[in-house]
Structures are given as C-alpha cells and as structure tokens.
Amino acid sequence: MRIKSVIILLFVVLTTALSAVPVEDFLIYNDFDKGFELAKAMNKNVMILFSSESCIYCKQLKQNVLPADDVSNFIINNYIIIELRADQNKTGKFDVENAAYSESGKEYTYEELFYLFGIRGVPATGFFDTEQHYLGTLPGFYNKDEYLKWLKFIQQKAYENGDINTFDVTNCCVGDEIKILEINAITLSNMQKTFPELLSYWSFEKFKTLNFLSLDTSKIYIIRDTKKEEISAFVKELNKNNLQNIYIVN
C-alpha cells in the first residue's frame, strides 16, 4: 500500500488575535503565470496587486493592510496573491476572448497587462475566481476593514446576488462543510519555493495532539506518512465550528 504525504491547510476561526504574517511570506512577486498555476492546483481565487516601486499607497497597503491578522489569514486561506509591476521584459498568458487566465493564452508583457486590465493608477486589485475567470478590478487604497469586506465579497461569490453595499460581512465565511482537496507533489514543490515560511511539518500522530482551538491560521500543516482515509476519518470528529476547509496534498 502506497504511503502518502498529506498537506492540510486548516481554516480555523479563533477568538484570540494572531501575530501578523509579513506580506512577503505569502505574496508572489512579479510572476503572473506561476501564481495562476499554483492557484489552479490549490483551487483558490487569485488577486493581482497592481503596483509600482514609487507608489506610496502601494507601500501602505503592503505594510498596514495586507499583513493585518484577519486580512492576511483570509488571503492565505482563500487566495493566491500576485504583485505585478509594469515590467516590459516579463510576460504572462491571458485569454482575452474568454476573459480568463489560460496556459495556451496569448503572451502579454506586464506593461501590456496593465493596459489590458484598464489600470490607470496604482494600487489596484484585480480579482479572479477559482476557475480563473477575470471578475473585475478594485482601484485605489482601502483601509483594513473595507479591503477585507471586498475579499470576502469575492470569495463568497456574493456578486452573483447583489453588490458590495448589500453584502452582510458579519455573517460571512464560516460554514459547517469540510472540503478535502488533493493536490500533487509538484504543487507542494511550488509551495515550498513560493512561501516556505508558511509550511509546518508534522507526523500524523503529533498532528492529532494539536490544540485545534489555537492553531495558527497562517500556517499550512504538512502531515507525513499517512493516508487520505485516515485524515478524513480524523477531521470528521473535529468541531466543525472551528474549521472552514481542509486541503490535502499527495
């Protein structure tokens, strides 16, 4: 019987504050295609942070908003975030006809992507769903609470039923369903290269002894030498009020 290495991304609703995660630990800088490939494998939304080195508000967004506990945790659990600058020497693929990222799409320079997405000023945040279709761009700087509301609005697909002004963020984003998604070793390797600081490695026996009420939501828990069936049986016994989703990697 083949033994599998399993990665679990735990989404835990905590009542106590967690230490902020530096934005550099979970942000993919200037690599459009890599970010989308990773998001596809992990079944996550994508957010593009259009920025420039000289942009004061971009720096404020990265220093004061993105690393905030609740913002960074929500991004890590639900999005792949890519910072993009208008580089003429780098390219990314995009299918204009279907308004979606595609590995077979036409190559555009990053400067052309700025124009393609209508970016007239920075910062701006572009959103894509888990199917990697372009949803739209949020221009400008927002404070922590406003920005997080937009993140939740997109993640919950609330745009299908109304606009941001009618979105009730207070009752958002906690559910009973525990989803288990398998991703492969190539994705794990990409994660290790992209945000190694977020990965935490455990044996299954040690993992079962963790206090799930105090887990750090910024961490990705990698469980070695176990099987999906064992993980599935174990998580079914956990308090679902403290979990949103679980992802596993073989």
Side-chain angles (χ1 to χ4, degrees):
M1 181 179 295
R2 184 166 67 91
I3 299 297
K4 298 179 179 180
S5 293
V6 180
I7 268 196
I8 297 187
L9 280 73
L10 292 172
F11 296 67
V12 185
V13 182
L14 302 180
T15 57
T16 57
L18 299 172
S19 58
V21 182
V23 67
E24 290 78 14
D25 285 357
F26 60 92
L27 181 147
I28 298 174
Y29 172 66
N30 244 22
D31 202 325
F32 189 81
D33 291 352
K34 180 179 181 180
F36 277 95
E37 290 163 6
L38 193 57
K40 182 178 180 179
M42 299 178 72
N43 195 37
K44 288 189 175 185
N45 301 80
V46 173
M47 50 189 293
I48 306 290
L49 174 59
F50 295 95
S51 72
S52 73
E53 191 173 2
S54 60
C55 169
I56 295 175
Y57 286 107
C58 299
K59 293 178 181 177
Q60 290 185 7
L61 187 65
K62 291 172 61 179
Q63 292 174 359
N64 302 324
V65 176
L66 296 179
D69 297 331
D70 43 359
V71 177
S72 63
N73 289 336
F74 195 80
I75 291 174
I76 290 167
N77 291 338
N78 296 284
Y79 288 89
I80 292 295
I81 178 171
I82 309 165
E83 181 182 11
L84 217 62
R85 295 181 181 173
D87 193 328
Q88 297 180 3
N89 299 315
K90 301 197 72 172
T91 61
K93 304 181 185 72
F94 191 73
D95 180 353
V96 174
E97 183 177 352
N98 294 301
Y101 172 79
S102 172
E103 294 179 3
S104 59
K106 181 180 176 180
E107 284 196 350
Y108 296 91
T109 67
Y110 288 178
E111 187 175 57
E112 289 173 330
L113 288 174
F114 268 62
Y115 176 79
L116 190 66
F117 290 112
I119 306 303
R120 298 180 180 178
V122 290
T125 307
F127 291 102
F128 294 76
D129 62 20
T130 56
E131 300 299 317
Q132 308 203 325
H133 293 110
Y134 175 60
L135 300 174
T137 298
L138 179 67
F141 175 86
Y142 287 79
N143 66 35
K144 179 179 72 70
D145 292 337
E146 292 173 322
Y147 202 76
L148 183 58
K149 183 177 181 179
W150 274 103
L151 296 180
K152 292 182 176 181
F153 177 75
I154 297 297
Q155 187 268 342
Q156 290 288 295
K157 297 185 178 181
Y159 48 82
E160 295 179 349
N161 301 312
D163 62 24
I164 190 70
N165 296 317
T166 61
F167 177 57
D168 183 6
V169 71
T170 58
N171 296 316
C172 163
C173 311
V174 177
D176 292 332
E177 181 182 3
I178 295 180
K179 300 176 182 178
I180 298 179
L181 174 70
E182 294 185 69
I183 53 181
N184 60 33
I186 295 175
T187 303
L188 172 56
S189 177
N190 287 334
M191 292 166 66
Q192 290 170 329
K193 294 175 183 177
T194 306
F195 32 69
E197 297 299 322
L198 298 182
L199 305 184
S200 178
Y201 301 87
W202 300 79
S203 70
F204 184 38
E205 292 304 314
K206 287 289 186 182
F207 180 76
K208 290 191 293 185
T209 66
L210 289 175
N211 179 356
F212 290 91
L213 292 177
S214 60
L215 283 178
D216 185 346
T217 59
S218 69
K219 291 292 185 180
I220 298 168
Y221 292 83
I222 303 175
I223 316 303
R224 298 193 178 280
D225 301 328
T226 189
K227 298 183 290 294
K228 178 181 177 181
E229 294 77 13
E230 291 178 308
I231 292 290
S232 298
F234 173 67
V235 300
K236 285 180 181 178
E237 302 302 318
L238 297 178
N239 183 348
K240 295 179 176 58
N241 290 327
N242 297 323
L243 291 170
Q244 208 171 353
N245 292 292
I246 296 178
Y247 290 76
I248 65 171
V249 165
N250 300 318

